[in-house]
Amino acid sequence: MTVGQKLYEGKAKILYSTDDPSVLLTYFKDDATAFNAQKRGSIQGKGEINCAIASHLFKLMEKNGIPTHFIDRPSGNEMLVRAVTIIPLEVVVRNIAAGSLCQQTGLELGTPLNPPLVEFYLKDDALGDPLLTLDRLQVVDPASAAKVDQLKSMATQINTVLQAFFEQCGITLVDFKLEFGTDAQGQLLLADEISPDTCRLWNQAETDPDRRVLDKDRFRRDLGNVEDAYRQVMQRVLNQTV
């Protein structure tokens, strides 16, 4: 397959066309950003690590009946994906209170959320990806009410699968962000990636609130050993068969 022109470059990935208009190539970068790109840096090997993790987890999703944009991983940093039109919503699923939820509500870090909280954020960097209430979803209208219901249902299903999987890895899935898109046939597909960039992951063997962190919070909060944490997640994920 021939790789064509660059179509888009985001914070963590570059998207290229191919000689098949229904297939795109995603290149995973080592760049790291936080706080809506106000903090920038690089994590050595992150692109290859995240590509490996995301590829494995997309296969897990497909096995569990959740359609994704994933096709293949032709090389370390590269993923072939189905071309989709991204829905401009970030769907966040929270199993445990952390991050902005604690800052905005006063909930104590580590508070279990049962049932899990599903939130929608408008995918717009210029606006800071604002949280949308149900009424605001209707006003802004990034997706139909039926589509929003479908997104919530799929996110909840994905959470169930991921929680069980990460439990086998000795990792607690605190929260995570998802993006979805529709293909040329109108099918809703899980897109983007699932990785330590998009998930909060805690090592179940650690009780220290800093040492247990295995995700991008290590970069956000200057905890150090970011690459080691990402590699640890990769090793645990890839050790599980799907």
Side-chain angles (χ1 to χ4, degrees):
M1 181 169 288
T2 304
V3 178
Q5 65 181 2
K6 182 195 293 188
L7 300 176
Y8 171 80
E9 181 167 0
K11 302 184 191 83
K13 297 182 288 293
I14 304 173
L15 206 58
Y16 295 93
S17 65
T18 70
D19 51 10
D20 182 342
S22 68
V23 177
L24 303 177
L25 184 134
T26 303
Y27 178 84
F28 285 68
K29 304 191 293 183
D30 288 349
D31 295 355
T33 65
F35 311 116
N36 200 21
Q38 293 178 33
K39 179 176 182 178
R40 294 178 179 272
S42 179
I43 302 170
Q44 186 177 2
K46 180 177 82 77
E48 187 166 347
I49 292 169
N50 281 357
C51 190
I53 294 170
S55 298
H56 200 76
L57 295 179
F58 280 140
K59 292 176 185 176
L60 174 69
M61 293 299 116
E62 296 279 359
K63 182 182 177 182
N64 283 273
I66 299 163
T68 78
H69 71 164
F70 177 78
I71 297 174
D72 192 18
R73 183 187 174 210
S75 69
N77 288 60
E78 296 177 332
M79 183 187 294
L80 288 172
V81 299
R82 296 174 181 84
V84 298
T85 300
I86 291 291
I87 296 170
L89 285 174
E90 295 181 350
V91 185
V92 174
V93 182
R94 301 181 184 273
N95 296 306
I96 296 172
S100 62
L101 182 62
C102 294
Q103 296 163 10
Q104 294 168 2
T105 66
L107 280 171
E108 184 177 352
L109 175 68
T111 302
L113 304 172
N114 191 18
L117 181 62
V118 180
E119 299 176 325
F120 295 92
Y121 293 78
L122 184 64
K123 188 173 166 60
D124 189 321
D125 286 344
L127 297 176
D129 301 330
L131 173 65
L132 296 179
T133 63
L134 290 178
D135 286 343
R136 287 189 179 187
L137 274 168
Q138 292 178 2
V139 172
V140 179
D141 196 29
S144 68
K147 188 73 71 179
V148 169
D149 287 344
Q150 190 179 2
L151 290 172
K152 184 172 183 178
S153 177
M154 283 184 68
T156 301
Q157 184 183 359
I158 291 165
N159 185 44
T160 299
V161 174
L162 284 180
Q163 273 192 299
F165 179 84
F166 278 118
E167 187 69 27
Q168 294 176 329
C169 299
I171 293 173
T172 297
L173 178 62
V174 178
D175 58 39
F176 58 99
K177 172 183 74 72
L178 300 171
E179 295 185 21
F180 296 86
T182 53
D183 63 13
Q185 289 71 46
Q187 183 183 21
L188 186 63
L189 303 178
L190 175 62
D192 194 45
E193 66 180 285
I194 306 173
S195 75
D197 269 11
T198 63
C199 302
R200 257 191 193 91
L201 305 168
W202 290 351
N203 185 352
Q204 293 180 354
E206 287 283 359
T207 57
D208 182 88
D210 290 341
R211 287 200 298 268
R212 69 185 175 187
V213 175
L214 294 174
D215 55 73
K216 197 163 73 170
D217 271 351
R218 300 206 70 85
F219 173 74
R220 289 188 190 97
R221 296 164 49 198
D222 296 316
L223 298 177
N225 299 316
V226 184
E227 181 190 344
D228 291 345
Y230 276 54
R231 287 197 179 279
Q232 188 175 157
V233 173
M234 179 180 69
Q235 290 164 1
R236 295 191 191 194
V237 165
L238 297 186
N239 280 340
Q240 299 294 325
T241 57
V242 297

